[in-house]
Amino acid sequence: MAGLTYPLSDGSRESVSTTTGRRVADVTLAAVLAGEIGPADLRISPATLRLQAGFAEAGGNRQLAENLRRGAELTAFTDDELLAFYERLRPGRSTAAELEELAHSLDERGAGSCAGLVREACAAYLRRGLIEAE
Amino acid sequence: MRATMSTVDRDAGSLRAAFYATRPISRDNLVPEDPSLGLVAFSSPFDPEPSLAVEDGRVVELDGTPEADFDLIDEFVARHGIDVEVAPEAMALDTVAFARMLVDPAVPRAEVVRLAAGMTPAKIAKTLALLTSVEILQAIQKLRVRRTPSIQAHVTNRVDHPLLLAADAAAAVALGFRELETTVPVLRDAPSNALALLVGGQVAAAGALTQCSVEERTELELGLRGLTTYAETVSVYGTEQVFLDGDDTPWSKAFLASCYASRGLKMRFTSGSGAEALMGAAEGKSLLYLEARCIAVTRAAGSQGVQNGGIDGVNVTASVPGGMREVIAENLCVMLHDLESCSGNDTLMSSSDLRRVAHTLPLLLAGADFLFSGFGSIPAYDNAFGPSNLNAEDIDDYLVIQRDWGFEGALRARDDAELLALRRRAAEACRAVYEELELARFSDEDVDACVVAHGSLDVPELAPDLVPAIGERIMETGLTALDAVRALAARGYETEAERVLEMLRQRLLGDFLQTAAIFDEGMHVLSALTDPNDYAGPGTGYRMSAGRRAEVASVRQVWQRTDLLADQTAAAGCVRLAEVGPARSRVRPDEVVVGVSPAFAVEIWAALGGLTVAEVLRQVLAGIEEEGVASRIVRVGHSIDLGAIGWAAARLSGSGVSVGLQAKGTALIHRADLPPLANLELFSIAPRVTPELYRGLGRNAARFARGAAPEPLLLPESSEPLGPKYHARVVQLVALERRLVRPGDPVEVEAQWPA
């Protein structure tokens, strides 16, 4: 995917693939009607998100790039997992130990930036007295 | 109310004051500044002085607070929101000098944005407080992210009627809205609303983004299933207490932002001043300073944009002095952080029409990525967010104001027939999808009513549990946008199926994750990267194309020349003025000469007020006759000026008195011994002159002729604006008069009345 330029919709549909490895150009109405495309084929791939992160960074928005890279990590998780993780980060939902456990599991599945965000949150929540250690 | 001496109560105050109390503006409640409650627009005495300390690349003090005392917001901004490379230079910059850089077109946008990235919220709030409203607008023109302004619609109704939502979504896109936002009175309805909007939103054109504003978790789930294409209701707040009351933290919101990114969904945060004061936890800080904190959190979390500019708290902001200047300053603050600005104007801010337009107009002139974060495209009563500042009732006004000022308001007028056809297709497509997916069945009567409806009061009631049941079924069966694509195609809506599928494909490409991204109707992505704002002074930046200017100029209220002159054709031939020779001079001492203008009963047959010229003339002549005075008619061909016409006729009159008549109905009494441009009596406001008044004018002319006192003639009292209604027509009529002007002396004419 190196060498692709923004916008990807303009000339790169043959080169960009879904998480399931299908080319975007092949996600056609005919393929949908033939039952060849399922919801899993409609998930943006981590590689594409990293590419977009690069475009954002080149455009001067480092934080947007970081967000897109965290997004790339989160493509590995199911919708239900994401909803659960989000829930655990909300105020008063978890103990520090539980947040550390969440960070650890994120790390294990290649989501290091997200794990870092959770650890940072945990420290801040503890310092502000929002959560218990155990 | 009319008082006589006997009813005046000397203690009750003036009638003018009593009148003011009935004005809509008197229903708005304003408050004095009260910093302790956060009721101060700019520069509260409790706002911190800007400061920043960085050690080894780590922020250890932010706006007077040392690291150990950081609250959640300070901490998050310190860790993610400050460009520590730029910070020393940026924080050392004199605030006035930076404020001038915002305004100066010679300072590139990129330079301003680079420096702002190294500034703290207090530094930015202090800078913005220095700007006048016009300076803020000038800065907005330069600093908004996208060159091309766009606009978002609210599409909702009281009963969450899916077919009505689909029809209204199609109509909104036809008008030019590129984002559609819906919400629900009842959470269980949300999936149905999202689906109806997804289908209806792709009928009129490709590429409109749709969202369903509900509680964070549900909103995310709808997005994950592809039933929405972006999210906006990811709220952040400027104090820790209110952030926690909102059941989130900066980290949970940042994580949520990444969840949306992971599924290729566009997302922006929501803030807006006044929320903290409304929640009773503003910590005494100014509205702008707290908003600057919200925007700093947003940038730090990596959200590409912000919805702000009052929003739900706009009435708090509007209640304090300078509130509206604060609102545009917070829009500017978003742009300064290089974020997409979705600029509010989405909450009814006053009972006064004047005041609500005064709130919105300035931003329209300057231009924003989204001029509204919800123009109510539906009637105010159907807006489930509560009425927007402008609603369906106001769309024609908006289009005319857009035409007046020539700003890019991103909307266009559409013929009713076009809109009806699109509404029908949308309602039928939505019905087909709901049937195909076994969600619900709707009758032809339901479709027909939704197609022609102004709002939900015009459609048959739905069974009370129908929409919640549809919503639950969508959630239980795991239905996704892919099912909608299949259903559309199966029922013959291939264009819409392709468009919905293209929105799903765009999620695979991720182009619309970039800042300020939208799709135009040709599915080109316009974003910070493809359509950057390049304003650098006059002659640069966004300018309308000739085609777009023509579209903006074409509004329903434009009357073509043929429309303006239609009533002339209808009245043609109502009287014939036959020329019988050169005008005679002073035939008898007891006469009034009536002088008529060049086009009177030649090309102009109806006066502005709707009377035929025959009726005008007949009444004047009858009035003269009633006083026992003789009359003659002359045509004055050398001038269209009523004074000149009357004076020429007066000089021919044996009594020295004349009546002058312009064909459009303006009339006067003149006398030969007066200067040409003077008169004895004048009806200058032709549309308000009645037959009785023309008759009275004739009588008075006769009275002057025989030395009697005139009777008082009063036009009926009215404050109806006549200029807007008649002046375009006057221009056409005067042009007809002007074309028939001929040099030479007046001509004697005889009126021949048709049988």
Side-chain angles (χ1 to χ4, degrees):
Chain A
M1 296 196 18
L4 298 187
T5 56
Y6 184 86
L8 298 176
S9 50
D10 208 0
S12 301
R13 290 174 187 239
E14 301 282 336
S15 310
V16 176
S17 301
T18 73
T19 42
T20 51
R22 194 181 290 274
R23 296 184 314 164
V24 173
D26 296 335
V27 180
T28 62
L29 187 57
V32 171
L33 297 181
E36 295 165 10
I37 310 282
D41 297 309
L42 295 172
R43 295 261 298 271
I44 190 168
S45 75
T48 307
L49 279 164
R50 289 195 184 96
L51 200 56
Q52 292 288 356
F55 298 145
E57 195 140 42
N61 194 331
R62 175 175 57 81
Q63 292 88 346
L64 176 57
E66 285 169 0
N67 179 34
L68 297 179
R69 291 195 180 106
R70 286 195 297 268
E73 292 178 354
L74 295 179
T75 56
F77 298 87
T78 66
D79 295 353
D80 287 340
E81 283 175 315
L82 293 191
L83 290 166
F85 296 165
Y86 165 58
E87 191 64 23
R88 284 167 68 180
L89 267 174
R90 297 176 92 167
R93 304 297 203 281
S94 309
T95 62
E98 285 164 344
L99 284 178
E100 176 49 40
E101 190 185 308
L102 170 59
H104 182 71
S105 68
L106 286 166
D107 258 336
E108 282 198 324
R109 291 173 65 184
S113 305
C114 294
L117 193 74
V118 170
R119 290 199 174 97
E120 191 183 277
C122 182
Y125 294 179
L126 264 178
R127 188 172 59 75
R128 298 298 289 170
L130 295 182
I131 56 173
E132 305 287 325
E134 296 296 329
Chain B
M1 183 189 299
R2 185 164 287 162
T4 62
M5 288 306 287
S6 61
T7 61
V8 167
D9 177 348
R10 287 175 189 280
D11 299 326
S14 72
L15 297 177
R16 183 68 60 82
F19 166 77
Y20 286 149
T22 69
R23 297 286 291 166
I25 191 71
S26 294
R27 296 201 290 273
D28 289 2
N29 286 340
L30 311 181
V31 297
E33 279 187 353
D34 185 348
S36 70
L37 294 176
L39 294 173
V40 54
F42 300 89
S43 310
S44 165
F46 305 108
D47 285 354
E49 276 301 305
S51 77
L52 186 72
V54 179
E55 285 175 10
D56 301 329
R58 178 181 175 89
V59 174
V60 296
E61 181 192 310
L62 184 78
D63 290 337
T65 304
E67 186 176 13
D69 297 332
F70 280 174
D71 68 13
L72 293 179
I73 295 168
D74 297 324
E75 170 101 18
F76 193 77
V77 170
R79 295 302 151 243
H80 302 277
I82 307 277
D83 183 340
V84 292
E85 303 284 314
V86 178
E89 175 192 357
M91 291 301 288
L93 194 58
D94 175 61
T95 309
V96 174
F98 185 57
R100 290 181 181 170
M101 292 175 75
L102 302 191
V103 178
D104 183 353
V107 178
R109 178 183 187 279
E111 175 62 3
V112 174
V113 163
R114 182 186 73 84
L115 288 166
M119 292 183 180
T120 64
K123 176 84 172 175
I124 284 174
K126 198 172 177 182
T127 303
L128 295 178
L130 290 169
L131 302 179
T132 68
S133 292
V134 173
E135 288 161 352
I136 291 168
L137 297 179
Q138 168 63 10
I140 285 175
Q141 178 163 244
K142 176 170 101 176
L143 290 171
R144 74 160 182 272
V145 171
R146 196 189 323 108
R147 176 169 45 196
T148 311
S150 189
I151 188 167
Q152 180 192 108
H154 286 166
V155 182
T156 65
N157 63 62
R158 283 162 45 254
V159 293
D160 292 332
H161 198 305
L163 305 189
L164 185 58
L165 281 170
D168 283 332
V173 171
L175 291 171
F177 291 102
R178 299 307 293 158
E179 279 189 357
L180 311 180
E181 179 184 30
T182 193
T183 191
V184 288
V186 183
L187 185 62
R188 291 190 303 159
D189 294 359
S192 171
N193 282 25
L195 178 60
L197 207 60
L198 182 73
V199 171
Q202 299 300 324
V203 169
L209 303 178
T210 59
Q211 65 142 327
C212 182
S213 170
V214 285
E215 179 272 329
E216 264 84 351
R217 196 190 146 104
T218 309
E219 186 160 342
L220 177 61
E221 181 153 8
L222 294 172
L224 297 177
R225 289 167 179 238
L227 296 174
T228 56
T229 44
Y230 78 106
E232 179 176 78
T233 319
V234 180
S235 302
V236 293
Y237 303 94
T239 65
E240 184 179 80
Q241 182 61 55
V242 179
F243 219 124
L244 295 172
D245 289 344
D247 205 13
D248 266 299
T249 72
W251 287 269
S252 65
K253 283 282 148 86
F255 188 83
L256 193 56
S258 303
C259 291
Y260 281 109
S262 75
R263 300 307 192 262
L265 279 159
K266 176 177 177 172
M267 186 273 313
R268 72 170 70 88
F269 280 7
T270 291
S271 50
S273 59
E276 297 83 3
L278 267 181
M279 297 286 285
E283 298 176 0
K285 306 299 197 300
S286 69
L287 293 161
L288 183 63
Y289 169 67
L290 292 185
E291 187 57 23
R293 279 164 64 87
C294 291
I295 298 163
V297 165
T298 302
R299 169 77 194 222
S303 168
Q304 62 81 35
V306 186
Q307 167 188 229
N308 81 348
I311 317 299
D312 295 343
V314 74
N315 292 297
V316 173
T317 308
S319 72
V320 300
M324 291 301 99
R325 182 164 71 95
E326 194 284 335
V327 165
I328 54 174
E330 65 184 63
N331 292 148
L332 173 57
C333 188
V334 173
M335 303 168 191
L336 196 52
H337 283 81
D338 207 14
L339 299 174
E340 176 188 60
S341 171
C342 197
S343 307
N345 292 305
D346 64 353
T347 305
L348 186 59
M349 69 74 77
S350 178
S351 294
S352 154
D353 287 343
L354 283 178
R355 192 166 179 243
R356 68 189 173 94
V357 174
H359 162 33
T360 294
L361 182 63
L363 187 81
L364 300 179
L365 299 177
D369 297 318
F370 285 93
L371 299 163
F372 290 76
S373 47
F375 187 124
S377 74
I378 33 70
Y381 73 74
D382 259 335
N383 198 323
F385 295 98
S388 183
N389 201 42
L390 296 181
N391 299 286
E393 293 87 336
D394 306 311
I395 280 190
D396 275 5
D397 302 70
Y398 181 83
L399 292 171
V400 172
I401 293 170
Q402 175 180 255
R403 182 181 188 268
D404 290 339
W405 290 88
F407 61 75
E408 181 50 87
L411 293 189
R412 61 194 165 209
R414 295 295 291 261
D415 286 345
D416 199 41
E418 286 179 287
L419 290 174
L420 280 173
L422 291 167
R423 293 180 66 90
R424 178 162 296 282
R425 186 166 174 94
E428 287 178 348
C430 186
R431 171 167 70 169
V433 167
Y434 277 54
E435 275 180 11
E436 190 70 20
L437 299 177
E438 297 179 359
L439 297 171
R441 306 191 79 81
F442 294 97
S443 68
D444 289 345
E445 290 71 30
D446 288 325
V447 171
D448 291 345
C450 289
V451 170
V452 301
H454 172 51
S456 61
L457 294 175
D458 305 319
V459 304
E461 281 185 26
L462 299 175
D465 57 343
L466 177 68
V467 180
I470 294 169
E472 276 163 17
R473 186 160 170 78
I474 290 171
M475 294 315 263
E476 283 163 10
T477 56
L479 190 146
T480 72
L482 214 45
D483 299 299
V485 172
R486 287 194 199 98
L488 282 165
R491 299 293 289 264
Y493 294 93
E494 290 224 354
T495 303
E496 287 78 4
E498 260 300 342
R499 287 174 179 169
V500 174
L501 181 59
E502 174 62 12
M503 297 311 287
L504 294 173
R505 277 193 293 257
Q506 287 294 341
R507 294 170 51 158
L508 301 172
L509 296 160
D511 289 335
F512 76 143
L513 301 177
Q514 299 295 343
T515 306
I518 55 170
F519 298 109
D520 69 13
E521 292 176 0
M523 288 309 291
H524 304 104
V525 63
L526 303 181
S527 70
L529 303 181
T530 61
D531 188 35
N533 184 11
D534 55 359
Y535 180 83
T540 65
Y542 178 83
R543 305 282 150 151
M544 284 188 202
S545 67
R548 175 61 182 149
R549 275 201 304 277
E551 192 173 63
V552 165
S554 169
V555 297
R556 207 190 310 279
Q557 292 73 15
V558 168
W559 288 59
Q560 301 300 331
R561 185 169 178 277
T562 47
D563 302 327
L564 290 168
L565 298 177
D567 55 349
Q568 300 302 328
T569 314
C574 57
V575 62
R576 179 160 182 267
L577 296 184
E579 297 190 0
V580 295
R584 292 172 293 159
S585 182
R586 300 180 184 163
V587 172
R588 46 193 286 182
D590 61 338
E591 68 175 357
V592 169
V593 174
V594 178
V596 299
S597 62
F600 193 101
V602 177
E603 290 198 5
I604 300 180
W605 302 97
L608 286 176
L611 299 176
T612 65
V613 293
E615 177 70 359
V616 171
L617 185 60
R618 197 178 67 78
Q619 293 291 350
V620 169
L621 295 175
I624 297 169
E625 189 182 348
E626 280 174 17
E627 292 290 324
V629 171
S631 63
R632 294 187 288 126
I633 309 169
V634 299
R635 181 181 305 284
V636 180
H638 70 267
S639 178
I640 67 165
D641 178 76
L642 185 58
I645 292 165
W647 194 64
R651 282 160 41 104
L652 295 168
S653 167
S655 68
V657 175
S658 70
V659 170
L661 289 176
Q662 276 180 336
K664 64 184 169 68
T666 317
L668 55 60
I669 303 175
H670 217 313
R671 202 167 61 198
D673 60 340
L674 298 173
L677 295 183
N679 63 72
L680 291 171
E681 194 150 6
L682 171 67
F683 290 158
S684 62
I685 308 172
R688 285 170 52 200
V689 185
T690 61
E692 295 69 30
L693 285 167
Y694 282 118
R695 186 172 286 236
L697 191 78
R699 272 199 304 273
N700 277 357
R703 289 185 181 201
F704 281 118
R706 60 184 181 78
E711 59 182 305
L713 297 175
L714 291 177
L715 263 56
E717 64 186 76
S718 167
S719 57
E720 183 199 357
L722 297 172
K725 185 168 177 186
Y726 292 108
H727 269 171
R729 197 176 305 217
V730 167
V731 169
Q732 300 295 337
L733 295 183
V734 168
L736 290 178
E737 293 268 30
R738 179 70 69 189
R739 203 153 52 76
L740 294 178
V741 169
R742 296 286 180 273
D745 293 331
V747 176
E748 195 87 16
V749 296
E750 274 179 19
Q752 298 170 353
W753 311 93

